[in-house]
Amino acid sequence: MSEMFDAVDALIASRAPLPPAEERKRLRVAHGLTLDDVAGALKVRRATVSAWESAKKPTEPRGPEREAYARLLKQLAELYPAPVPATFTGAPAWAEAEARSAGPAPEAAGMTATENTQTPVAAAPAVASRPASTTRSTSTSRRPGARKAASAGTPAGGTDPRFENGPLAVVDVDDDGKVLAYCTGGLVLDVPAKSLPSLVEWTLKEAKLGQPKLAGPGKDADPLLVLTEPALKRYALPVTLTEEEKHAGRIPEGHKVIKQLARAEWKLTKRGFGPWARIYRPATGSERACVQLCIPSWNALDTRHWGGAGQLPPAELARVLGVYASRVMTPRGSTAVTGLELMTALHPPTRASEPDATGKRHSEHNPGSLGKDAIDPMNWPPCEVPDGHPVLKDLPRFHVRGPGEKLFEEAYDWARPMTDAECTLRHLVGIDVNMAFAAGANGLNVGLGEATYVKAPAFDPKLPGSWLVDLSHVDLSRVKVGKEWVELDGSLLPSPFTPKGDRPTGPAWYATPTVAYAQELGYEVRPLEAWVRRENGRYLDGWYNRLRDAYLATMADLGVDADLTPEDFLAAMGGYKASDPELAIVVSAIKATVKGGLGKLRERPRGGGWRPGEPWRALSRPTWRPDIRAAVISRTRINLHRKIVKHAAFTGQYPIAILSDCVVYAANGTSPLDFLPYRDGKPLPGGFKLGINPGLVKHEGTQDVLWGEEVRERFNAPELNLARYIKDGTVTDVDNGE
């Protein structure tokens, strides 16, 4: 009889009820569990748990795993009850049903923002849309009223009570004329402010917005307010900028709102009141009083990087920016500006010293950072600076610097005509390196201080710097791959030393990774001159790790997991954007943060009035570091070339075209698996590997070989870079290979 009872118990357990997928994820995240934690406890694969939580097509566990999983979720549900749904439109049907079955909970409905328990942001499920109503605080201190949407799985803030409502809010006006602040996690606050100065005051005193610092000696992030068009009208600001204001990047100094701020003793930064305005009062001691504004209708959210985020409803926009803020940092401007600010936030230039004899602490250089006075703007190596820099002011007018005068490390833009054998194949398949420039920054040793000039130095691959060396003797027809020499068709390969893939003709300036690769290929290098930086370190490692984790976490939320098989990975990448368009925007912004941040390291003059030979504002920044940008690009290009060489040595296949991090090959099939040498599911060691991690590759696009030949013939461009158009086949901006 006991065996029968056990069988019945097992049968019942095999059908144990489970909550919906998004609730499963909410409970796991609320307890701070990772997918690996749950998978290890249940003795299943990480991808299996991810599939159980998939919002698109969740799978159901079976057998003993289901019983154990149900037990886990039941205990978590007791610890973290589902928020009582307010009257929000767009709340999930399951949440409304659970609320009805649970009965009334008036004491929960009256909770204010300060009474909610928050957990760290780790996932990004959907949030509700605009609320039909909100609760208002009746406290005499006018604390902001708040309610939380039932589906808001992304909490409003972290464990810091100062910022319990999250890093930012989208300020909007509802149909009844009420001003509302949409925070992360579905939280909505009533805004009592009637003017912009009072809105700033409310934000700093009552809203509890902001983000804790990312590093010990750093500073907390200032609260960010995103103003919608109705909010702009409410606070007497223009909905759009005039052409003159767009050119200036700000509204006029005489605008009445700027006068209001001045009367209230608020100041604006030198950039004035533009799409990313900063409103502040001078700091008193360690206390900062600063609020940043983001104005989408003034093009604060560039569509190239943020897609249609600027047109999203307030709650959805708060979700997109909130996920980005929690995983990267609170936006400080464009994605490029934020990428640069992230470097500084992770490595602040100064720190507090040890107490002196009187017990006081002083500001001192923070080791491993780019200090405030790390490099004199007027003491740069001439080869590393762009044209127009003050150190080049004595050059003759219209002088064009050649490779022997200028460090020119840029990404690939190379193509070649197809061979007869390649023309017999049917397809051109493009593969793209994930987060290529981030991967190039990972583990890279870069200079932290001044450069030292050396004549005829011995090359040191561990020493960051710029080297004048002749690499024209490197013959790609015979190179070392690992420890063995291999024979290749060098005419079908781009040179690794120039962006256009041309073989060098004499001495030229190169960053350390480029010269080190010449040695790796088996050739001797003898630099004629060098500018080296003996103070160095892996400054970008923390920056890379932060952006990598943000990218992988967001892609995992979109169903693209790092543990997928190559076939499943290609299938998942084919529709990940459609599964959650809002999170797809976050992915785009993260990738733009990488490229833009690196680009900012060599920011050129902006605005009118500048003349060649004169300094510009960016030169005074410790993060104006063209040498670091050059080293990252050099390493990224070399990483790609190394994979191309290994692929050619193993398969005899050569690329048709390369554009930055995209490589095109001719193949008989439409998939990367039709030419990548996988064996028993394993890729060629050191070659191209399909996957979502930075440095691995994804499918960029496929076109017919006939398409490529027809396009090149139509535009009379036998070396037209087809990698530029491989994604969708649309051909624009033909440059005839020049």
Side-chain angles (χ1 to χ4, degrees):
M1 183 68 70
S2 61
E3 292 181 0
M4 294 176 62
F5 287 166
D6 291 342
V8 170
D9 290 343
L11 190 62
I12 296 299
S14 69
R15 296 292 185 271
L18 297 174
E22 60 184 12
E23 176 65 4
R24 302 172 196 176
K25 188 171 192 176
R26 184 191 73 82
L27 292 171
R28 174 178 62 78
V29 170
H31 200 60
L33 298 176
T34 66
L35 291 171
D36 289 324
D37 293 335
V38 177
L42 302 182
K43 294 181 170 53
V44 296
R45 295 174 61 247
R46 183 179 188 272
T48 301
V49 181
S50 179
W52 293 345
E53 297 181 356
S54 172
K56 189 175 182 181
K57 289 184 178 179
T59 60
E60 295 297 316
R62 297 180 180 179
E65 290 84 7
R66 185 182 184 95
E67 180 182 5
Y69 191 43
R71 180 182 179 88
L72 170 67
L73 295 176
K74 181 179 179 181
Q75 294 185 27
L76 291 177
E78 293 173 357
L79 293 172
Y80 309 99
V84 177
T87 53
F88 282 66
T89 61
W94 68 266
E96 297 175 1
E98 287 185 1
R100 286 194 297 269
S101 64
E107 70 282 358
M111 290 172 63
T112 64
T114 56
E115 295 168 324
N116 279 302
T117 302
Q118 308 295 345
T119 56
V121 175
V127 300
S129 304
R130 179 189 300 256
S133 63
T134 56
T135 55
R136 291 183 179 273
S137 171
T138 56
S139 168
T140 55
S141 63
R142 202 175 180 80
R143 294 164 70 186
R147 272 200 182 181
K148 199 159 191 173
S151 60
T154 305
T159 57
D160 194 323
R162 298 172 301 159
F163 312 128
E164 66 180 47
N165 292 336
L168 55 89
V170 179
V171 181
D172 189 39
V173 181
D174 69 6
D175 296 337
D176 297 328
K178 298 176 182 176
V179 181
L180 304 172
Y182 293 77
C183 305
T184 57
L187 193 70
V188 182
L189 309 178
D190 291 320
V191 180
K194 304 298 183 184
S195 66
L196 191 63
S198 61
L199 176 65
V200 175
E201 294 275 3
W202 171 83
T203 301
L204 293 171
K205 292 181 179 179
E206 299 186 52
K208 294 193 174 183
L209 296 174
Q211 191 174 36
K213 59 189 177 182
L214 296 180
K219 299 175 181 177
D220 297 327
D222 299 318
L224 173 65
L225 296 181
V226 185
L227 303 184
T228 65
E229 293 185 12
L232 292 173
K233 293 178 182 177
R234 171 61 62 92
Y235 294 116
L237 289 165
V239 171
T240 59
L241 299 179
T242 65
E243 289 301 320
E244 183 179 352
E245 291 167 345
K246 289 179 183 178
H247 181 73
R250 64 181 76 185
I251 59 177
E253 295 294 326
H255 194 281
K256 63 179 181 180
V257 171
I258 296 181
K259 293 180 179 179
Q260 288 177 359
L261 291 169
R263 286 195 296 270
E265 299 183 340
W266 290 105
K267 297 180 180 294
L268 293 165
T269 59
K270 292 181 180 180
R271 293 198 177 276
F273 203 125
W276 290 93
R278 299 190 69 80
I279 303 172
Y280 73 99
R281 284 179 181 143
T284 55
S286 61
E287 294 297 321
R288 289 168 55 84
C290 182
V291 172
Q292 179 160 320
L293 302 183
C294 167
I295 305 178
S297 65
W298 294 6
N299 198 35
L301 301 175
D302 192 322
T303 55
R304 294 172 299 175
H305 310 138
W306 290 101
Q311 284 71 51
L312 289 174
E316 282 79 352
L317 180 55
R319 181 200 181 204
V320 168
L321 294 176
V323 172
Y324 179 90
S326 68
R327 292 177 175 173
V328 180
M329 69 180 297
T330 303
R332 293 290 303 271
S334 67
T335 51
V337 169
T338 304
L340 197 67
E341 291 289 340
L342 179 61
M343 296 179 195
T344 302
L346 293 168
H347 286 285
T350 60
R351 67 178 184 182
S353 68
E354 293 296 323
D356 60 16
T358 63
K360 291 185 178 180
R361 297 179 183 269
H362 306 276
S363 178
E364 66 177 12
H365 173 65
N366 183 27
S369 72
L370 304 180
K372 286 186 175 179
D373 302 316
I375 296 180
D376 183 347
M378 306 305 293
N379 193 33
W380 273 94
C383 64
E384 292 182 347
V385 299
D387 295 337
H389 191 279
V391 302
L392 304 175
K393 63 182 180 181
D394 294 331
L395 285 179
R397 192 179 182 188
F398 304 121
H399 174 75
V400 178
R401 293 186 294 161
E405 299 172 280
K406 179 181 179 180
L407 178 68
F408 192 64
E409 296 282 12
E410 298 294 340
Y412 267 129
D413 185 356
W414 169 88
R416 63 169 175 82
M418 283 185 273
T419 65
D420 292 342
E422 289 164 344
C423 288
T424 64
L425 302 177
R426 299 180 59 188
H427 302 286
L428 297 175
V429 184
I431 52 176
D432 181 77
V433 181
N434 295 314
M435 301 272 283
F437 294 97
N442 182 30
L444 179 64
N445 205 32
V446 300
L448 301 177
E450 297 273 5
T452 302
Y453 178 76
V454 185
K455 190 75 173 176
F459 176 67
D460 182 353
K462 296 181 180 179
L463 191 59
S466 300
W467 310 79
L468 181 64
V469 58
D470 188 352
L471 300 180
S472 61
H473 63 292
V474 177
D475 183 5
L476 296 180
S477 298
R478 187 172 184 271
V479 297
K480 264 190 175 181
V481 177
K483 296 182 179 180
E484 297 183 1
W485 288 90
V486 298
E487 304 290 335
L488 300 172
D489 189 341
S491 66
L492 301 180
L493 286 170
S495 167
F497 310 127
T498 61
K500 288 293 184 180
D502 302 323
R503 186 168 180 170
T505 58
W509 286 99
Y510 302 102
T512 298
T514 302
V515 185
Y517 186 57
Q519 275 191 335
E520 180 184 326
L521 292 176
Y523 290 86
E524 185 181 16
V525 294
R526 294 181 179 178
L528 305 174
E529 306 173 37
W531 290 90
V532 297
R533 289 179 165 83
R534 305 195 187 281
E535 181 188 354
N536 52 70
R538 292 167 59 162
Y539 173 75
L540 294 173
D541 274 10
W543 182 81
Y544 162 78
N545 290 332
R546 180 84 176 173
L547 290 165
R548 176 205 60 198
D549 292 348
Y551 176 69
L552 293 179
T554 310
M555 290 301 295
D557 286 338
L558 286 164
V560 186
D561 196 89
D563 296 332
L564 294 175
T565 64
E567 294 81 4
D568 290 342
F569 168 71
L570 291 174
M573 287 297 295
Y576 80 91
K577 292 183 179 179
S579 66
D580 192 329
E582 293 170 15
L583 285 187
I585 292 174
V586 178
V587 171
S588 172
I590 292 170
K591 292 192 289 187
T593 303
V594 173
K595 289 188 177 181
L598 293 172
K600 275 280 184 180
L601 291 170
R602 197 192 66 169
E603 184 175 351
R604 304 298 296 274
R606 300 176 62 189
W610 175 82
R611 294 184 178 182
E614 296 178 349
W616 58 92
R617 182 183 299 173
L619 297 185
S620 62
R621 289 195 322 246
T623 50
W624 192 82
R625 293 298 303 272
D627 59 308
I628 295 180
R629 172 188 176 274
V632 173
I633 293 176
S634 164
R635 192 162 184 248
T636 303
R637 193 182 67 246
I638 294 308
N639 285 346
L640 183 59
H641 196 275
R642 184 182 293 111
K643 289 180 170 63
I644 290 170
V645 166
K646 289 192 176 182
H647 184 86
F650 189 80
T651 67
Q653 299 168 338
Y654 296 84
I656 302 295
I658 309 173
L659 182 67
S660 187
D661 47 10
C662 175
V663 188
V664 176
Y665 283 91
N668 263 328
T670 60
S671 166
L673 288 173
D674 291 316
F675 71 92
L676 293 182
Y678 274 79
R679 295 292 184 271
D680 299 323
K682 296 181 180 179
L684 171 68
F688 295 110
K689 178 183 178 181
L690 290 167
I692 196 59
N693 281 300
L696 305 188
V697 299
K698 61 180 182 293
H699 184 203
E700 178 69 4
T702 297
Q703 303 296 330
D704 294 338
V705 166
L706 291 177
W707 163 85
E709 288 296 275
E710 188 275 331
V711 166
R712 285 177 163 179
E713 184 177 344
R714 187 192 340 154
F715 293 101
N716 191 27
E719 295 184 1
L720 178 69
N721 195 333
L722 298 175
R724 192 184 306 276
Y725 317 109
I726 195 70
K727 190 166 190 174
D728 61 10
T730 303
V731 181
T732 56
D733 302 325
V734 173
D735 59 7
N736 292 319
E738 297 180 4

